[in-house]
Amino acid sequence: MAKLNRLQTASLPDPVLDRRQAVPALIDNHGDFLMIAGLAGTAWDLSALTHESPSLFGLAGAMGAAPMMGLGLALAQPKRRVLVATGDGELLMNVGALATIALQNPPNLTIICVDNGHYGETGNQESHTGLGVRLDVMAAGAGFPVVYVINTEADMAEGRRLLREGGGLTFILLRVKEGPTARLGKKNLFPHIERDRFRTALLG
């Protein structure tokens, strides 16, 4: 039985959370996870949180790649908890990944979609989710056993619990206001450097 909140509602309230506070509040202790961060916005979010931790593989321009990279990592490292952070624009680019991930159903994988309703990397145009498309409903329809929506601070505690104790493949939609990411941490996201750092940390 999927864990759903507010999926029965046709539309969601306007987001009130600031991503610069919401992302670190949700993830909390980043050392609990191997992390893949998608297109630059979420890569900056996690970079600021982790302070260049080698357990983060941050992408700069591989739009749509993060969820499937997370799937491969979760299957290859079944004893580690894997967290993918992606944006609504990036996930819309490769929304079919949700179906493949759900069919594989790795219990150690969580996908967080940081949804600000905009294409932040291409001019801040309003995205499909800003016009009413529901990625949480898509994830539930694809077969994710756990789906949860975070709209307010009151939803955070359950989101944090699901990250660590959800007991199965999880999709969390973190709805945030349109606004800047936390431009801290890594100054550049060079793929070869990210790859080598992450591989070294993973293999010890």
Side-chain angles (χ1 to χ4, degrees):
M1 178 67 67
K3 181 176 183 63
L4 309 177
N5 72 330
R6 303 188 179 137
L7 295 188
Q8 294 77 22
T9 305
S11 61
L12 292 168
D14 291 337
V16 297
L17 297 173
D18 185 320
R19 69 188 300 158
R20 292 170 294 184
Q21 285 80 51
V23 172
L26 175 59
I27 296 174
D28 196 17
N29 185 3
H30 61 83
D32 295 339
F33 308 100
L34 297 173
M35 293 175 291
I36 305 290
L39 193 64
T42 47
W44 285 114
D45 287 333
L46 265 64
S47 177
L49 170 65
T50 64
H51 301 289
E52 303 192 14
S53 167
S55 63
L56 167 65
F57 196 137
L59 303 173
M63 190 170 184
M68 293 304 288
M69 289 178 65
L71 171 62
L73 182 61
L75 293 174
Q77 298 289 327
K79 295 182 179 180
R80 304 286 298 275
R81 296 197 71 85
V82 176
L83 187 153
V84 170
T86 185
D88 55 300
E90 181 188 15
L91 188 53
L92 285 163
M93 172 69 78
N94 190 19
V95 73
L98 294 175
T100 301
I101 293 168
L103 287 173
Q104 292 292 316
N105 196 27
N108 57 326
L109 175 62
T110 296
I111 295 178
I112 298 172
C113 179
V114 182
D115 183 357
N116 67 357
H118 289 76
Y119 293 108
E121 303 303 317
T122 61
N124 219 41
Q125 306 92 338
E126 195 167 25
S127 79
H128 295 62
T129 63
L131 298 170
V133 170
R134 297 282 301 275
L135 288 168
D136 52 323
V137 175
M138 289 185 180
F144 273 65
V146 181
V147 176
Y148 189 70
V149 181
I150 296 177
N151 282 308
T152 68
E153 290 285 350
D155 303 320
M156 280 288 185
E158 177 65 2
R160 284 191 292 268
R161 187 193 70 80
L162 288 172
L163 280 182
R164 292 166 174 81
E165 304 172 16
L169 174 64
T170 299
F171 181 91
I172 295 176
L173 186 70
L174 175 60
R175 301 184 70 244
V176 298
K177 297 183 294 184
E178 186 278 321
T181 60
R183 292 266 173 176
L184 302 173
K186 296 178 182 178
K187 296 180 180 179
N188 295 291
L189 296 168
F190 296 115
H192 66 289
I193 295 176
E194 295 291 296
R195 176 200 63 202
D196 292 347
R197 285 165 51 88
F198 188 80
R199 185 175 187 275
T200 297
L202 185 61
L203 298 179

